[in-house]
Amino acid sequence: MSETTTMGETVKYVLDESRLPEAWYNLAADLPSPPPPVLHPGTGEPVGPDDLAPLFPMEIILQEVSTERQIEIPGEVRDVYRQWRPTPLYRARRLEAALETPARIYYKYEGVSPTGSHKPNTAVAQAFYNKREGVTRLTTETGAGQWGSALAFAGAVFGLEVEVYMVKVSYEQKPYRRALMESFGARCVASPSEETASGRAVLAERPDSTGSLGIAISEAVEMAAQRDDTKYSLGSVLNHVLMHQSVIGEEAMLQLELADDRPDVLIGCTGGGSNFAGLTFPFIGAKLRGEGDVRVIAVEPAACPSLTRGQYAYDFGDTGHLTPLVKMHTLGSTFVPPGFHAGGLRYHGMAPMVSHLHELGLIEARAYTQTEVFAAGVEFARAEGILPAPEANHAVKALLDEALRCKEEGRSEAILVNLCGHGHFDMQAYIDYFAGKLEDRAYDEAELAMALAGLPSVPD
Ligand SMILES: Cc1ncc(COP(=O)(O)O)c(C=O)c1O
């Protein structure tokens, strides 16, 4: 660690609780064109609130289609946020020194939340609205276990039962995440399970299925649709989820003002798109309003490359085809990625809003393999002392590449990355990495082609 670079210089930009954002930012207000509508798979017509009412509370449905720029954060939600928000913005001075880069590197650290990632930002809001509308039970899916833990925490705060379908490969790799969910009072089931028709259908075809987010979503949706007291909660992809995450970028804007700086490059990893959106949408909105330019980079795993290799098409959000059709970059709803160590990034599609931005040329996308992202995460940890979640390592890898580009070009750009979670529950992945056991397994091209061939046909 270099003392000369850190002496006396600010490392951490913190905001007082009084500066916690009072409203979420909704990018829909500033888009040059709206994303294509969500369609009913039976009729091919845009879905209305009544179609979604069995699954979501009305306030959430209204937020999903809102074009208001600001949506007030209820006081009850802000009171819970206050426990860990505003989160710190760090200047990565030791990493800058280690890389010998002229770049100014910042990271917004969401790992300080009670469950270790950005996910509680929307879990708390969703639990609050469900509780207010009389719901007593929530079902959901989880990949890495970060989202399941976050909803379990939010359920404990608002007194809701929570049932989590956890992708089987993660369920087996991460018993401590399951224990955390159970500590909060949630029930956790390995997916695919025998408990649902969707799970049983997958198991009949592939008894050794390692699961996927698409399958776990089907199971959670199926269970929610069956009971009046139960609704479904999604941890990413949908507009309202992305909007709840905007507190990340809103705070970062204020913190960069404290640093008297502006970002040239923004970076986030993308599973369903929510942490990426949370950091970048407030800045993209400012850009669309002519208030400053910025490059925005979405980073995904090469083994599940929806933005870089997927098709921009209408598709189901789940494998069992229980959800409406959304236009997004997709690998096909039946695509099951190989079992790599970033469970939160194993989703076949990308948020419609993020996909739309990519189509409009407002964001860039790139994909990395898992060994190179773990190498990046370890390099980051050795300089900054925070071990990132495997998902966040994707963003860190792009950060290192951009910082080294700045070094080569002799440019002092400001790079801001979303460090969306810590990796303390992911130590088995790191153990495997150090033992040389991580494989860069490519997805099965034939399976991808088959999944894409099965995309639903939708009239123009
Ligand atoms: C730490 C972390 N980062 C990223 C993701 C990916 O989701 P999203 O793209 O919605 O942020 C997850 C999902 O579980 C996660 O746990």
Side-chain angles (χ1 to χ4, degrees):
M1 292 186 182
S2 161
E3 284 182 14
T4 49
T5 52
T6 56
M7 248 183 17
E9 292 177 303
T10 306
V11 165
K12 185 162 87 283
Y13 296 91
V14 285
L15 296 173
D16 187 77
E17 276 178 30
S18 64
R19 302 197 72 194
L20 188 68
E22 291 184 1
W24 291 298
Y25 167 70
N26 183 8
L27 180 65
D30 289 310
L31 284 174
S33 60
V38 173
L39 302 181
H40 190 290
T43 62
E45 294 295 318
V47 295
D50 290 348
D51 297 312
L52 298 174
L55 293 182
F56 301 106
M58 199 41 74
E59 183 62 34
I60 294 278
I61 294 171
L62 294 176
Q63 288 184 4
E64 188 60 22
V65 293
S66 171
T67 52
E68 268 177 62
R69 183 171 288 121
Q70 304 277 335
I71 293 190
E72 192 186 335
I73 307 174
E76 293 89 336
V77 173
R78 295 178 79 235
D79 281 346
V80 185
Y81 278 179
R82 240 184 279 282
Q83 192 177 343
W84 72 96
R85 305 212 70 84
T87 60
L89 177 83
Y90 286 92
R91 173 85 185 262
R93 297 198 186 267
R94 292 196 179 91
L95 182 64
E96 289 170 17
L99 297 172
E100 297 178 334
T101 175
R104 303 184 304 285
I105 300 175
Y106 296 90
Y107 58 95
K108 179 74 167 154
Y109 186 41
E110 290 294 304
V112 294
S113 83
T115 54
S117 80
H118 62 294
K119 296 284 180 180
N121 296 332
T122 183
V124 170
Q126 293 190 46
F128 167 75
Y129 290 121
N130 274 286
K131 176 76 178 181
R132 200 173 65 177
E133 295 187 25
V135 175
T136 59
R137 193 162 163 267
L138 290 173
T139 61
T140 196
E141 72 294 325
T142 195
Q146 287 270 20
W147 166 243
S149 320
L151 195 69
F153 155 66
V157 169
F158 291 107
L160 294 167
E161 264 180 69
V162 174
E163 193 161 283
V164 183
Y165 290 86
M166 185 170 188
V167 177
K168 193 182 280 169
V169 62
S170 298
Y171 185 91
E172 284 161 3
Q173 279 170 351
K174 298 188 169 196
Y176 301 132
R177 272 282 165 204
R178 188 174 101 216
L180 182 62
M181 290 181 238
E182 288 169 353
S183 303
F184 287 125
R187 181 168 169 262
C188 187
V189 182
S191 167
S193 78
E194 291 287 351
E195 295 191 3
T196 64
S198 324
R200 288 190 294 276
V202 174
L203 289 171
E205 218 170 277
R206 285 191 197 186
D208 59 346
S209 169
T210 51
S212 69
L213 278 168
I215 296 168
I217 292 173
S218 297
E219 295 205 89
V221 166
E222 184 183 323
M223 292 313 269
Q226 282 170 14
R227 279 171 59 160
D228 285 346
D229 62 352
T230 305
K231 298 238 185 269
Y232 167 68
S233 183
L234 185 62
S236 188
V237 179
L238 297 177
N239 298 341
H240 67 272
V241 182
L242 274 49
M243 187 187 71
H244 296 157
Q245 294 293 352
S246 64
V247 286
I248 303 172
E250 292 178 300
E251 287 175 7
M253 278 179 154
L254 297 175
Q255 288 161 313
L256 281 173
E257 270 174 33
L258 292 180
D260 196 20
D261 212 342
R262 301 174 76 100
D264 297 294
V265 185
L266 300 174
I267 299 173
C269 70
T270 44
S274 76
N275 87 82
F276 168 80
L279 178 74
T280 65
F281 280 13
F283 290 94
I284 294 173
K287 174 172 168 162
L288 289 169
R289 296 191 302 274
E291 298 165 13
D293 200 9
V294 66
R295 262 180 78 207
V296 183
I297 306 173
V299 191
E300 60 185 12
C304 191
S306 56
L307 265 179
T308 51
R309 300 291 302 274
Q311 208 163 307
Y312 186 53
Y314 272 103
D315 198 4
F316 291 95
D318 70 320
T319 306
H321 297 176
L322 303 176
T323 69
L325 296 172
V326 288
K327 187 133 186 203
M328 60 182 177
H329 287 87
T330 178
L331 299 165
S333 61
T334 56
F335 176 75
V336 178
F340 63 93
H341 272 294
L345 306 185
R346 291 167 48 88
Y347 184 57
H348 67 273
M350 183 49 59
M353 198 84 109
V354 173
S355 295
H356 186 56
L357 288 175
H358 193 42
E359 284 303 294
L360 293 173
L362 287 164
I363 61 171
E364 302 167 29
R366 64 176 72 160
Y368 292 116
T369 57
Q370 65 172 344
T371 47
E372 58 187 342
V373 305
F374 272 84
V378 167
E379 193 171 345
F380 181 89
R382 287 180 185 173
E384 294 296 315
I386 297 173
L387 190 70
E391 293 80 7
N393 282 344
H394 290 73
V396 170
K397 169 66 178 151
L399 163 67
L400 297 189
D401 283 358
E402 286 299 308
L404 293 175
R405 174 190 58 76
C406 286
K407 181 174 170 178
E408 251 167 53
E409 295 174 1
R411 293 164 75 99
S412 174
E413 294 181 12
I415 306 172
L416 168 58
V417 66
N418 195 3
L419 198 67
C420 53
H422 66 64
H424 298 173
F425 285 83
D426 304 282
M427 298 317 297
Q428 189 59 48
Y430 281 92
I431 291 170
D432 290 349
Y433 168 68
F434 290 123
K437 286 191 193 157
L438 291 197
E439 288 172 51
D440 289 332
R441 281 162 65 191
Y443 53 80
D444 185 333
E445 290 276 1
E447 192 192 327
L448 176 60
M450 218 158 67
L452 285 173
L455 286 176
S457 60
V458 173
D460 286 335

